[in-house]
Amino acid sequence: MANDRVKFLDTTLRDGEQSAGIGMTVEEKMEIAKQLEKLRVDIIEAGFPASSPGDFQAVSNIAREIREPVICALARAHPNDVDQAWEAIKGAESPRIHVFLSSSDIQVMHQLRKNREEVMEMAVTMVERAKKLCDDVEFSPMDATRTNPEYLFQMMEAVIRAGATTINIADTVGYAIPSDFANLLRRLQEEVSGMDKVTLSVHCHNDLGLAVSNSLAAIEAGARQVEGCINGIGERAGNASLEEIIMGLDTRKDLFGIDIGIDTTQLYPASRLVSRITGMAVQANKAVVGENAFRHASGIHQDGVLKDRSTYEVMQPERVGVPGSTLVLGKLSGRAGLQARLDALGYSLSRDEISNIFESFKVLADKKREVTDRDLEILMDEEKRVSTEPISYTLDQVHFSSGDHDIPTATVRLVGPNGEVNTDASTGNGPVDAVCKAIDRVIGCSCTLVDFSVQSVSEGLDSQGTVTIRVDNQGRTFSGRGASTDIIVASAKAYLSAVNRMLAADEESNVPAVGTTPD
Ligand code: KIV
Ligand code: ZN
């Protein structure tokens, strides 16, 4: 029987990380997990421990440190996956193992190359195995919406008998249509014995742009757990956008009559953090958290909003944590103005921290007419990165030249681990390539750039650019970020940050530093 509280499982750190081109470090995942705790999501799916040592580490760190929400780890229906999931989360206050297995004929036959009976047996055995380790077990039939309903119902009955406490209906390929999906959920509740004793959950992908609509239709039809990602990131077209589902339920409580335990004012900070860390921009017209979500352009709308905001706004920006803007910060602004703005953005800083950030603020304000909230986020991010990241080399100077008739050339000056200053130069296919190669020459390493993205932080020609880079070194991938009003300088910072991470990893694993030859 459905109750009137919906739980939220956030899978930004697991399914979200499956977005093409995204790679988060263990520390970045922890930062997001802390924000998700502030947002008060019920369950954090922290990762897929069997997929890599890095994921295992991230999940176990989060399990040890984040105490309020349930910490969930994903596992395929393989004994090793289930055991590793448990190893990673066993230190959590409230651990959960999430087992998934394909259920549609398309995937059972063509991907698993098994028959329905064999798959049924795997599902039951692995749920039983998980249940012996952990009381809280979620089971997901993958591609449930393209699964023969009778087979799906039998499988759900069997895994509930085996001990599953949450049944998560996955619209893995974003095939569902709201009315049809709601029907399937009603049938599951009517036809699967034991369903009233467990939580019915949904997990929707956005291939047809319907992930949020399907999730809301499912809640209306009785689902009481919903899964999604901040900013709707995730595999292919992404997962259901958690902030949109939350604000749909919050804004239309008159219709749904459902409680949520979420602190909605943490949505915007969560969105900004995820965008910064992943390097995935949020489109300006994105619902709830987009740059334009609360901006009114037409005269008629502006007139209405000035008289009464509810004329053209169904929710208030403050409700989702968008800070109201009254002060313009620039080169004449003082410490108090900066501090007030940082407070409004949710940063609480000590006197020393304010002093440090004020220095960087002044440097930026000299280059920019107006320092926006986005600029401040980047400054804070850079400050944090510099104080927490492993740093062997720092960028002292970078100079480059390029043009349609010139060979792109760069010179960099780096300060090394013992304060030594080294300079070198290189040509390249373009200025970014030349800068990366010059850095390689100083450090004596060689990395391949596998991903490069630039995001403009704000509007205007004096805008800052944030560069997110991923590099490959002998099959290992490292990411780095850097920001500057000059995107080549930002690229140099991002590349150096990735290389510093690589050097720290080498040191940790006692692998000789790249560029040095073993005797
Ligand atoms: O989309 C999917 O099917 C999944 C499962 C692991 C739940 O992400
Ligand atoms: Zn998924």
Side-chain angles (χ1 to χ4, degrees):
M1 178 61 195
N3 55 35
D4 58 358
R5 163 88 154 78
V6 163
K7 290 186 190 156
F8 291 89
L9 180 148
D10 180 282
T11 183
T12 306
L13 299 177
R14 197 278 298 170
D15 220 333
E17 209 203 17
Q18 288 174 222
S19 312
I22 286 187
M24 299 182 233
T25 65
V26 172
E27 293 75 28
E28 288 169 340
K29 286 183 181 176
M30 178 63 82
E31 206 178 333
I32 292 181
K34 285 184 179 159
Q35 179 59 31
L36 293 174
E37 188 177 37
K38 277 197 197 161
L39 180 61
R40 295 209 216 109
V41 299
D42 300 275
I43 304 117
I44 296 176
E45 183 158 70
F48 183 1
S51 69
S52 73
D55 232 33
F56 184 96
Q57 191 63 55
V59 177
S60 51
N61 289 1
I62 291 169
R64 271 198 307 273
E65 196 159 330
I66 307 289
R67 306 311 282 175
E68 209 46 53
V70 171
I71 305 299
C72 171
L74 186 71
R76 283 169 302 183
H78 292 317
N80 179 53
D81 275 36
V82 172
D83 296 352
Q84 287 220 47
W86 174 243
E87 276 307 305
I89 50 159
K90 66 182 183 196
E93 184 79 34
S94 318
R96 172 182 294 186
I97 300 178
H98 177 186
V99 180
F100 74 99
L101 182 60
S102 298
S103 56
S104 68
D105 283 344
I106 304 176
Q107 294 193 355
V108 166
M109 288 171 195
H110 300 302
Q111 190 178 9
L112 300 181
R113 306 232 159 97
K114 294 197 183 293
N115 61 40
R116 286 186 182 175
E117 290 68 35
E118 288 169 316
V119 166
M120 181 78 80
E121 167 77 21
M122 280 167 75
V124 169
T125 319
M126 286 308 119
V127 169
E128 283 171 351
R129 189 178 185 102
K131 190 70 180 182
K132 284 194 188 126
L133 301 167
C134 183
D135 239 8
D136 188 348
V137 177
E138 173 167 335
F139 180 81
S140 294
M142 187 150 81
D143 204 14
T145 46
R146 292 193 300 168
T147 299
N148 171 285
E150 279 66 39
Y151 178 64
L152 179 69
F153 299 163
Q154 276 171 23
M155 191 190 255
M156 295 310 97
E157 230 168 86
V159 294
I160 291 171
R161 270 202 308 274
T165 42
T166 298
I167 292 296
N168 179 43
I169 302 303
D171 185 26
T172 306
V173 291
Y175 178 72
I177 300 293
S179 53
D180 204 34
F181 194 46
N183 251 338
L184 175 68
L185 292 172
R186 283 195 203 95
R187 284 191 64 192
L188 274 154
Q189 291 165 92
E190 283 158 11
E191 298 181 36
V192 174
S193 111
M195 193 57 102
D196 54 340
K197 307 280 187 310
V198 302
T199 302
L200 179 56
S201 168
V202 289
H203 174 110
C204 298
H205 278 268
N206 206 28
D207 299 66
L208 293 174
L210 292 171
V212 170
S213 304
N214 283 326
S215 304
L216 291 175
I219 291 167
E220 268 196 296
R224 286 299 175 266
Q225 177 182 291
V226 67
E227 305 194 350
C229 295
I230 299 295
N231 297 340
I233 63 172
E235 190 81 48
R236 304 181 311 280
N239 284 67
S241 155
L242 217 57
E243 62 278 7
E244 293 179 20
I245 303 174
I246 289 169
M247 290 318 291
L249 293 176
D250 186 71
T251 306
R252 296 308 310 273
K253 189 153 190 226
D254 60 317
L255 183 75
F256 291 97
I258 280 183
D259 289 331
I260 53 173
I262 298 290
D263 178 356
T264 57
T265 64
Q266 293 298 327
L267 284 171
Y268 185 74
S271 164
R272 298 303 317 140
L273 179 68
V274 169
S275 172
R276 263 195 329 272
I277 286 183
T278 59
M280 278 188 94
V282 174
Q283 76 200 52
N285 64 332
K286 164 89 174 58
V288 181
V289 291
E291 183 93 36
N292 292 350
F294 299 100
R295 282 170 134 188
H296 304 271
S298 94
I300 293 172
H301 288 213
Q302 288 177 347
D303 176 55
V305 167
L306 285 170
K307 289 172 178 150
D308 184 329
R309 284 169 64 168
S310 67
T311 50
Y312 290 96
E313 279 179 1
V314 293
M315 60 195 145
Q316 296 192 334
E318 298 79 26
R319 182 104 188 113
V320 299
V322 173
S325 190
T326 46
L327 292 174
V328 175
L329 292 178
K331 66 178 177 187
L332 299 179
S333 305
R335 223 170 270 255
L338 174 66
Q339 177 152 14
R341 197 70 208 136
L342 287 171
D343 283 349
L345 289 171
Y347 297 103
S348 47
L349 302 180
S350 68
R351 206 177 248 273
D352 282 352
E353 287 169 326
I354 286 285
S355 293
N356 287 344
I357 201 80
F358 189 63
E359 301 271 305
S360 323
F361 165 78
K362 281 291 190 192
V363 172
L364 180 65
D366 258 345
K367 295 188 191 148
K368 289 197 81 219
R369 203 170 25 91
E370 190 184 321
V371 178
T372 65
D373 289 349
R374 294 284 163 95
D375 291 320
L376 292 182
E377 287 174 4
I378 297 294
L379 274 187
M380 290 303 299
D381 197 40
E382 283 278 288
E383 202 64 23
K384 175 151 200 203
R385 205 172 51 70
V386 169
S387 60
T388 55
E389 255 186 20
I391 301 209
S392 298
Y393 290 88
T394 50
L395 185 68
D396 188 38
Q397 249 186 43
V398 53
H399 174 85
F400 47 86
S401 68
S402 72
D404 57 357
H405 289 95
D406 291 338
I407 296 172
T409 309
T411 308
V412 296
R413 192 160 77 192
L414 304 184
V415 182
N418 304 313
E420 71 279 16
V421 179
N422 284 306
T423 305
D424 215 324
S426 177
T427 56
N429 294 329
V432 173
D433 188 42
V435 162
C436 297
K437 285 190 170 134
I439 291 176
D440 283 353
R441 286 175 64 92
V442 173
I443 298 179
C445 66
S446 164
C447 295
T448 315
L449 204 59
V450 286
D451 213 10
F452 175 88
S453 70
V454 190
Q455 246 182 286
S456 168
V457 174
S458 50
E459 291 158 7
L461 290 175
D462 60 356
S463 167
Q464 282 199 94
T466 310
V467 171
T468 308
I469 262 174
R470 281 200 306 139
V471 300
D472 179 89
N473 178 264
Q474 298 169 2
R476 301 167 308 158
T477 309
F478 300 92
S479 62
R481 276 199 312 281
S484 169
T485 45
D486 184 313
I487 61 163
I488 308 299
V489 177
S491 308
K493 288 184 180 174
Y495 187 73
L496 194 56
S497 136
V499 171
N500 275 327
R501 285 176 172 179
M502 178 192 77
L503 295 173
D506 284 346
E507 212 161 89
E508 247 172 53
S509 59
N510 282 328
V511 171
V514 265
T516 60
T517 34
D519 322 80

